[in-house]
Amino acid sequence: MEEKYTKYKTKYLQLKKINNQIGGKNINKYIILLFPDVLSNIKFPNKIINKLKRKYKIIDLKYDFNDSELKNKFKLEDLQFENIAKNIYDNLDKDINYITIGFNQGCHICNYFSNKYKKIVTMQILLNNRRINAENYEKTIIRGYRMLEMNYNKEFADKYKLGIISDNELINKLNEKDKYKDLIHHTIVLKIREQYKKVPIKQYIKTYIFDQIVADMDIIYSHNLKDDKTKYIKDIQSIEKAIIDHCKTNVDKIKQNNNMINNSKFELVVVDYEIDIPEGTIFTKNRIKKLLYLLNR
């Protein structure tokens, strides 16, 4: 089993470098590291990649646990920020400066990496800096429990409320991934969010945050009340309760970003908010324009 795991780990922890076809004289001295979201299909658009490749080399990072089809083998320790960051760092050229970009929950990993290895990171950009705190972690446990109860049964949900807790059982469940996909995904998200205390508040590098505030009723309805399963898992049965929940999320995100501003040196952290971005949207025209401006200065 250990030999098989090592084989997968060696294969999938390698960094996938996007080939750059532009002549060396046009390539910037910085390399961009892209930190993807966790268990999401949102990718960095090719049209932006192609524009950035005119000036930068790009490394599109891959977490071994982050394949939604669960094709890769991994251990629980591979979900720890310090291990993710070290695996990335060990594969980088330490004589080069990097710009890091994180999406959604990838922001937390990006933030951890960028500040831990600040000697090689010049700037980080966080797109949709998802809130991560004790309350959000507890909500993940509760909603995950309801999801497991609905998809399996109450006894199963009671047993795995805190996710899978041993490597042997994780490997066994990965071997039956079609049956236990929801449980494995719950475990991954839970293990990421339980590390909220590791995410740096004080920033040591230039940080640009592109975040969003949701107030549009149609977006709130779609996010919370689109079907009975969603309403049950979130325990939100009315638009009034959904609005309250979103207001709390908005306030938490603003507090989180303000804490980063207030605990860092003056003007080291800059936050830009957009209102009512559709669910799952990261790369709005406004953000693309500002992102390219930052990276092409």
Side-chain angles (χ1 to χ4, degrees):
M1 185 68 72
E2 185 67 27
E3 181 180 348
K4 185 176 182 180
Y5 166 72
T6 302
K7 176 183 176 182
Y8 274 104
K9 188 176 181 69
T10 301
K11 179 179 179 181
Y12 290 107
L13 280 180
Q14 292 178 346
L15 305 180
K16 181 183 177 183
K17 296 186 178 180
I18 300 179
N19 293 327
N20 209 310
Q21 304 299 324
I22 308 300
K25 62 180 181 180
N26 295 322
I27 300 300
N28 198 290
K29 61 182 178 179
Y30 302 113
I31 291 179
I32 294 178
L33 303 179
L34 303 179
F35 288 76
D37 192 9
V38 176
L39 297 176
S40 169
N41 293 321
I42 300 175
K43 306 297 181 184
F44 208 84
N46 287 332
K47 62 180 180 180
I48 304 180
I49 289 286
N50 291 334
K51 288 182 179 180
L52 293 179
K53 282 170 63 176
R54 299 171 188 170
K55 190 172 182 180
Y56 297 95
K57 290 183 178 179
I58 309 289
I59 297 179
D60 188 6
L61 299 170
K62 306 294 180 185
Y63 318 133
D64 56 332
F65 57 84
N66 203 34
D67 177 69
S68 61
E69 299 302 318
L70 301 174
K71 297 176 182 177
N72 311 335
K73 300 295 183 181
F74 60 93
K75 289 184 176 181
L76 293 172
E77 65 187 33
D78 297 326
L79 299 168
Q80 296 299 307
F81 288 170
E82 55 268 30
N83 294 330
I84 300 171
K86 186 177 185 302
N87 286 329
I88 294 170
Y89 180 78
D90 287 347
N91 284 277
L92 296 178
D93 184 340
K94 313 308 185 292
D95 295 324
I96 295 176
N97 291 319
Y98 297 87
I99 295 172
T100 58
I101 304 178
F103 318 147
N104 282 354
Q105 293 178 98
C107 289
H108 312 320
I109 302 171
C110 178
N111 192 359
Y112 181 93
F113 174 90
S114 300
N115 283 277
K116 183 175 180 62
Y117 300 111
K118 54 185 177 292
K119 290 183 178 181
I120 64 169
V121 178
T122 300
M123 174 177 72
Q124 70 170 333
I125 299 171
L126 306 178
L127 298 169
N128 284 10
N129 188 27
R130 292 282 297 269
R131 66 169 179 161
I132 184 167
N133 55 28
E135 183 178 351
N136 182 247
Y137 171 57
E138 291 171 2
K139 182 182 285 188
T140 302
I141 295 174
I142 294 170
R143 291 180 174 178
Y145 178 89
R146 295 194 189 104
M147 181 271 294
L148 294 177
E149 184 182 27
M150 174 178 284
N151 293 343
Y152 301 95
N153 55 59
K154 186 179 186 305
E155 183 180 1
F156 189 93
D158 288 337
K159 181 177 181 180
Y160 292 109
K161 182 178 181 179
L162 298 179
I164 300 169
I165 60 174
S166 75
D167 284 327
N168 286 338
E169 186 160 23
L170 175 60
I171 294 298
N172 290 334
K173 293 294 188 287
L174 284 169
N175 289 334
E176 297 184 79
K177 60 185 179 182
D178 292 337
K179 181 178 180 180
Y180 294 111
K181 183 177 181 178
D182 290 331
L183 170 61
I184 298 168
H185 283 189
H186 171 61
T187 300
I188 293 171
V189 173
L190 201 61
K191 297 304 179 185
I192 292 295
R193 294 182 181 176
E194 74 176 9
Q195 299 178 73
Y196 59 90
K197 290 184 178 180
K198 296 180 183 178
V199 179
I201 296 299
K202 184 175 182 179
Q203 301 298 299
Y204 294 93
I205 58 173
K206 189 66 178 180
T207 299
Y208 293 92
I209 301 173
F210 293 89
D211 221 327
Q212 64 170 309
I213 300 298
V214 177
D216 183 87
M217 298 284 271
D218 291 337
I219 296 176
I220 293 175
Y221 183 91
S222 175
H223 187 69
N224 296 281
L225 303 168
K226 59 183 178 180
D227 54 53
D228 290 338
K229 182 177 181 179
T230 300
K231 288 189 285 187
Y232 174 76
I233 290 175
K234 292 191 172 186
D235 190 27
I236 295 177
Q237 303 295 327
S238 68
I239 189 63
E240 290 80 13
K241 192 169 183 180
I243 291 171
I244 292 172
D245 187 70
H246 265 266
C247 285
K248 182 67 170 62
T249 298
N250 290 339
V251 170
D252 281 353
K253 287 199 293 185
I254 293 171
K255 284 182 177 179
Q256 177 175 277
N257 292 334
N258 283 350
N259 282 338
M260 291 173 65
I261 293 172
N262 295 332
N263 285 278
S264 306
K265 289 185 178 180
F266 182 64
E267 293 188 343
L268 197 60
V269 179
V270 177
V271 183
D272 183 278
Y273 291 100
E274 285 195 54
I275 307 296
D276 296 332
I277 298 175
E279 178 68 17
T281 302
I282 293 179
F283 302 99
T284 64
K285 290 183 179 179
N286 185 45
R287 283 184 176 175
I288 292 173
K289 183 177 179 180
K290 291 179 179 179
L291 181 63
L292 292 175
Y293 171 77
L294 285 176
L295 295 174
N296 287 317
R297 286 191 302 181

